[in-house]
Amino acid sequence: MFHLILAAPSLVVILRWLWPLSLPLWGTAAIALLLLFASQYHVWSRLSSGSVFAPEFPRPVVILFNWAFGAIVLLALLQILLDLGSLPVMLLRQGPVAIPDGLRYAAAGLAALLAAYGVAGALRVPPLKDIEVAIRDLPAEFEGYRLLHLTDLHISRLFPARWAKAMVARANASGVDLIVVTGDFIDGSLEMRHADVEPLRDLHAPDGVYAIPGNHEYFFDYAAWMRHLTGMRIRMLENAHAVLWREDARIVLAGVTDRSAGGHGQAGPDLDAALAGAPDGAPILPLDHQPGGAKTAAARGIALQLSGHTHGGMSVGLDRLVANGNGGFVSGRYAVGGMTLYVSNGTALWPGFALRFGRPSEMARITLRATR
């Protein structure tokens, strides 16, 4: 069913855009077959690796598939707009209206250009995005404390070692006190991604690198990935916490597992367990891959929650749909009770639909300030 749904845009393009064009039958058939082939990108991904989440083609092929799939979706939307625009003319003429071939070709060209723009935006090494967050009861020793929030790295054939190395270099040059990663490190097994994740070993900050798993870690031998990431000097907070010190002052960094963990035989998110033994009175900063549980965290008197998972919705318009599946949270800063929730647009994104429009990737450099 999933693959049939993904084929729907190509069927719209074939029936409403391609078929009315003045082309010989063999040309129409050839283009229709290419459209159907590109629309089944996720089938070919599964055949290449056993998972739709890890296309194991050369990177240029993965880029081409993402561009083609995106162009098909955009052309389907543009063709629907053309059809809707022709309705008033049909009503006035009281008869059918033929959309000129030139207008159809223009729509195809625009879709191709927009898809190229969207893929290029997805593939970049993201810039630093500076934000300040006011924290109640923040100890004076932590005034101006800076942390870098990375999330949704999705290291894969699309975001390989070269991309990871450039991202790590930018992170290390950010001048922060702490680096946190809120999950979805990879797309692929440890065997597939061993070389691609190696640059993460060089991530460093004075107070260390802390992280939690995202839902994608559970798709590819979760236990193996947790051991490997821990061996790369990344401290995984699986329903656990760490205490950060400045002289005698403390803040608590807590991490929970992903809500999809139970479906993979692993321990689900448990904030109570994560905070067990945490010092009283210290501000709490939890890491939770998915933002949907923010209201539960806010009820615990938490100061700042960092999340990812949504990729910012990837596109203006589509972000509203993504928000509906994530408690209404999709991109940026939210006030939830007395807590600040920050949902990052993501450092990268899933290679199955790698396009961005108006929701750019980011590396969020967060400065803590005391509430005044």
Side-chain angles (χ1 to χ4, degrees), residues 85-104:
S86 68
L87 283 177
V89 180
M90 290 174 62
L91 292 174
L92 287 173
R93 294 185 179 181
Q94 296 185 349
V97 173
I99 299 173
D101 282 6
L103 196 53
R104 293 179 186 276

Side-chain angles (χ1 to χ4, degrees), residues 186-270:
I186 48 85
D187 277 306
S189 67
L190 182 55
E191 182 181 6
M192 294 173 187
R193 300 280 82 84
H194 190 277
D196 290 323
V197 300
E198 189 59 24
L200 298 185
R201 192 180 301 275
D202 294 328
L203 268 177
H204 63 82
D207 286 345
V209 181
Y210 291 82
I212 57 170
N215 56 310
H216 282 229
E217 275 73 64
Y218 295 91
F219 301 155
F220 302 100
D221 195 344
Y222 173 81
W225 271 117
M226 294 303 100
R227 288 193 300 270
H228 189 72
L229 292 169
T230 299
M232 299 176 77
R233 299 190 295 274
I234 298 173
R235 182 171 172 184
M236 302 302 299
L237 297 176
E238 302 171 77
N239 295 327
H241 73 269
V243 180
L244 305 174
W245 293 80
R246 285 291 183 272
E247 299 177 6
D248 293 329
R250 300 168 295 184
I251 58 176
V252 174
L253 185 69
V256 296
T257 56
D258 189 73
R259 63 179 58 187
S260 66
H264 297 271
Q266 301 291 335
D270 188 338

Side-chain angles (χ1 to χ4, degrees), residues 268-293:
D270 188 338
L271 188 57
D272 289 334
L275 293 175
D280 294 331
I284 300 169
L285 280 62
L287 311 177
D288 189 343
H289 179 63
Q290 301 192 40

Side-chain angles (χ1 to χ4, degrees), residues 2-365:
F2 173 72
H3 301 302
L4 290 176
I5 293 171
L6 293 177
S10 66
L11 295 177
V12 171
V13 171
I14 290 169
L15 295 174
R16 295 300 308 139
W17 177 82
L18 176 61
W19 187 255
L21 285 173
S22 303
L23 292 173
L25 183 59
W26 66 266
T28 299
I31 295 171
L33 288 173
L34 283 173
L35 290 168
L36 289 172
F37 178 83
S39 75
Q40 295 306 294
Y41 164 44
H42 302 87
V43 172
W44 317 135
S45 292
R46 183 186 293 276
L47 292 176
S48 74
S49 69
S51 171
V52 298
F53 298 104
E56 290 301 299
F57 309 115
R59 189 171 189 253
V61 174
V62 180
I63 293 172
L64 184 60
F65 264 125
N66 274 280
W67 168 81
F69 188 76
I72 290 170
V73 172
L74 290 166
L75 181 53
L77 293 174
L78 290 173
Q79 183 59 50
I80 290 170
L81 290 175
L82 285 175
D83 287 341
L84 291 174
S86 68
L87 283 177
V89 180
M90 290 174 62
L91 292 174
L92 287 173
R93 294 185 179 181
Q94 296 185 349
V97 173
I99 299 173
D101 282 6
L103 196 53
R104 293 179 186 276
Y105 287 127
L110 179 59
L113 289 173
L114 287 174
Y117 172 82
V119 170
L123 295 182
R124 71 175 184 166
V125 175
L128 296 172
K129 178 181 179 181
D130 282 302
I131 63 172
E132 291 191 354
V133 176
I135 303 292
R136 63 180 178 276
D137 300 322
L138 182 72
E141 292 85 348
F142 282 96
E143 174 68 26
Y145 189 87
R146 296 198 298 179
L147 59 91
L148 186 68
H149 179 204
L150 308 177
T151 189
D152 299 284
L153 308 181
H154 290 284
I155 292 175
S156 58
R157 284 294 183 97
L158 190 59
F159 299 100
R162 184 175 62 181
W163 180 92
K165 184 176 181 179
M167 182 275 296
V168 166
R170 185 164 293 176
N172 288 344
S174 64
V176 296
D177 301 290
L178 174 74
I179 295 175
V180 299
V181 187
T182 53
D184 279 3
F185 282 85
I186 48 85
D187 277 306
S189 67
L190 182 55
E191 182 181 6
M192 294 173 187
R193 300 280 82 84
H194 190 277
D196 290 323
V197 300
E198 189 59 24
L200 298 185
R201 192 180 301 275
D202 294 328
L203 268 177
H204 63 82
D207 286 345
V209 181
Y210 291 82
I212 57 170
N215 56 310
H216 282 229
E217 275 73 64
Y218 295 91
F219 301 155
F220 302 100
D221 195 344
Y222 173 81
W225 271 117
M226 294 303 100
R227 288 193 300 270
H228 189 72
L229 292 169
T230 299
M232 299 176 77
R233 299 190 295 274
I234 298 173
R235 182 171 172 184
M236 302 302 299
L237 297 176
E238 302 171 77
N239 295 327
H241 73 269
V243 180
L244 305 174
W245 293 80
R246 285 291 183 272
E247 299 177 6
D248 293 329
R250 300 168 295 184
I251 58 176
V252 174
L253 185 69
V256 296
T257 56
D258 189 73
R259 63 179 58 187
S260 66
H264 297 271
Q266 301 291 335
D270 188 338
L271 188 57
D272 289 334
L275 293 175
D280 294 331
I284 300 169
L285 280 62
L287 311 177
D288 189 343
H289 179 63
Q290 301 192 40
K295 292 179 181 177
T296 301
R300 294 290 303 267
I302 281 166
L304 166 67
Q305 176 176 312
L306 301 178
S307 297
H309 182 63
T310 66
H311 304 158
M314 293 178 290
S315 173
V316 174
L318 182 60
D319 59 344
R320 293 299 90 209
L321 180 63
V322 174
N324 289 338
N326 290 277
F329 309 118
V330 64
S331 176
R333 186 198 307 248
Y334 299 88
V336 185
M339 180 186 81
T340 297
L341 167 67
Y342 187 78
V343 184
S344 170
N345 287 348
T347 312
L349 76 175
W350 173 47
F353 192 71
L355 294 94
R356 287 186 181 273
F357 299 100
R359 291 293 179 262
S361 56
E362 64 182 51
M363 299 165 70
R365 183 165 54 187

